[in-house]
Amino acid sequence: MLFETYKLGSLELSNRVVMAPMTRVRASETGLPSQSAALYYAQRASAGLIVSEGISPSKQGQSEPNIPGLYNDEQEAAWRPITQSVHDAGGRIFAQLMHGGRVGHPEINGMQPLGASPIAAQGTIFNSGGRLAFVTPVEMPVEQIREQVNVFVAAAERAIAAGFDGVEIHGANGYLIQQFLSDNSNHRTDQYGGSHENRARFAVEVATAVSAAIGADRVGIRFSPGGKFHDMNESDPEGLYTTLLNALNPLGLAYLHILETASDDINDRIREIWTGPLIVNPAIVGSADFVDKANADRWLSRGGDLIAFGRYFISNPDLVRRLRDGLELTMPDLDTFYSGGDKGYIDYPEWSDSAVS
């Protein structure tokens, strides 16, 4: 099944392999994607679908240094040759819109981060000069929450103008949307806090507004149910995501993308509730385990429709072929994940170049 074609909204995908969104820290200080990004993504265009690295929808939403943006004309123009390179290679690509919320720092973008409540995450954030302790975010009043919904909409519209086939709303891994979902980062007492319905409200509003702007069949959304990354704590993930997915189902989104951060029972419940296509990334952030074909087959048999591969796509630009033909997989160099430059970025060879005779 992994190598069968798949109809995703109006798109015909060549296979069910998805290149997962992966931060590579190669953008300029002004949020322009690397000039090498066109080659990086084109090399991997045999994936049925590519989901880009996380892209900041606003300067204030930037989570780490050297993350690309989609909030001004120059950034939008810089993405066009990248999307064109993927399309020229026969691929499809969605832009992942990643608003950091409280996962940010004034020393990174010169702005105080925003959050559901004025509660700092425990831990530190990467910066070019070392690691920085998280700061207390600004609690957004309702008017500012609505402004952030519009931030996602504007970035989505720019993504389509830049040639992306759609967008993925990042609601996972402790970023802004999950900060509204999580018990320990959301202590609000208004319509955005307290009950499952209220905690889910911001995610639903963003998905609804973005769908209205660019079409629901061009909108995916990603969650990490019960995930702890960036100091999250969802005390009742089954109840929370039951409420959330029931509210999202009527929108007719292109897909739901989940990380395998919840129990088997909860993940099976998610598959039961969700009425649209399901992308599964069988990986836990921070885990040393890599997603391989056995993970993919396991999830396809459980009802996953497409399988997202992460780190193996870094070091195997022809991953689809290697999986299909049972070829050896190259292990990635972890030291170059976030090092900047072309080493460990566009210099991994395809099998025909690396095979030992």
Side-chain angles (χ1 to χ4, degrees):
M1 288 179 59
L2 190 60
F3 308 107
E4 294 177 352
T5 60
Y6 187 82
K7 186 77 169 177
L8 187 72
S10 61
L11 300 177
E12 183 79 21
L13 306 185
S14 60
N15 54 66
R16 297 174 183 241
V17 177
V18 175
M19 178 175 163
M22 291 177 288
T23 296
R24 301 308 310 276
V25 192
R26 257 77 178 181
S28 72
E29 291 183 2
T30 58
L32 299 179
S34 165
Q35 292 185 351
S36 298
L39 178 57
Y40 169 73
Y41 284 112
Q43 287 174 334
R44 292 154 179 81
S46 60
L49 176 67
I50 293 173
V51 183
S52 79
E53 63 206 282
I55 301 174
S56 299
S58 69
K59 184 176 181 180
Q60 195 166 23
Q62 180 183 351
S63 56
E64 288 124 357
N66 301 109
I67 300 295
L70 251 176
Y71 52 85
N72 62 40
D73 292 346
E74 189 179 10
Q75 293 165 352
E76 180 184 316
W79 280 107
R80 289 196 188 104
I82 298 170
T83 59
Q84 187 62 52
S85 71
V86 172
H87 293 151
D88 288 346
R92 302 291 191 178
I93 183 169
F94 272 40
Q96 189 193 66
L97 304 182
M98 182 177 76
H99 193 308
R102 72 177 188 174
V103 179
H105 199 282
E107 290 192 24
I108 292 173
N109 60 18
M111 305 178 76
Q112 194 72 12
L114 303 173
S117 296
I119 302 170
Q122 297 298 304
T124 60
I125 189 169
F126 167 78
N127 191 27
S128 55
R131 300 198 67 88
L132 303 167
F134 285 112
V135 298
T136 302
V138 174
E139 180 179 47
M140 293 185 289
V142 170
E143 294 77 13
Q144 196 168 27
I145 291 174
R146 291 171 181 157
E147 289 174 2
Q148 297 312 301
V149 172
N150 292 332
V151 161
F152 278 95
V153 170
E157 291 174 335
R158 285 189 179 277
I160 299 304
F164 284 98
D165 296 293
V167 303
E168 178 178 281
I169 299 166
H170 197 349
N173 296 347
Y175 295 107
L176 181 62
I177 288 176
Q178 194 179 15
Q179 291 161 29
F180 278 85
L181 299 173
S182 177
D183 302 55
N184 65 337
S185 55
N186 182 351
H187 290 184
R188 302 178 73 97
T189 58
D190 61 6
Q191 66 265 44
Y192 291 95
S195 68
H196 292 331
E197 181 181 10
N198 285 353
R199 291 177 184 279
R201 190 180 307 278
F202 181 62
V204 175
E205 288 180 347
V206 171
T208 301
V210 173
S211 296
I214 67 171
D217 64 339
R218 289 179 163 186
V219 181
I221 194 163
R222 193 182 207 216
F223 295 117
S224 50
K228 305 294 186 182
F229 192 63
H230 282 140
D231 191 29
M232 293 286 94
N233 180 49
E234 296 168 349
S235 61
D236 178 20
E238 182 173 3
L240 176 62
Y241 284 89
T242 295
T243 299
L244 176 57
L245 298 185
N246 280 330
L248 290 172
N249 267 329
L251 298 179
L253 299 180
Y255 63 79
L256 167 67
H257 185 179
I258 62 167
L259 289 97
E260 193 173 10
T261 44
S263 67
D264 286 348
D265 287 345
I266 293 174
N267 286 328
D268 287 341
R269 176 65 174 154
I270 287 172
R271 174 66 283 185
E272 177 185 346
I273 295 168
W274 181 247
T275 58
L278 178 66
I279 300 176
V280 180
N281 185 194
I284 299 174
V285 178
S287 168
D289 296 332
F290 286 23
V291 180
D292 57 18
K293 190 170 183 299
N295 297 129
D297 290 340
R298 173 173 60 87
W299 259 105
L300 289 171
S301 68
R302 290 180 62 189
D305 296 302
L306 300 105
I307 306 299
F309 293 79
R311 287 169 284 183
Y312 272 138
F313 250 125
I314 290 177
S315 52
N316 299 274
D318 55 344
L319 180 63
V320 174
R321 178 193 172 196
R322 296 197 192 204
L323 293 172
R324 184 189 62 227
D325 296 346
L327 303 175
E328 182 180 358
L329 299 178
T330 300
M331 294 296 292
D333 176 11
L334 276 64
D335 290 338
T336 58
F337 276 12
Y338 315 116
S339 61
D342 289 343
K343 182 175 174 55
Y345 189 55
I346 57 172
D347 58 350
Y348 285 105
E350 294 186 358
W351 173 261
S352 58
D353 299 321
S354 61
V356 177
S357 58

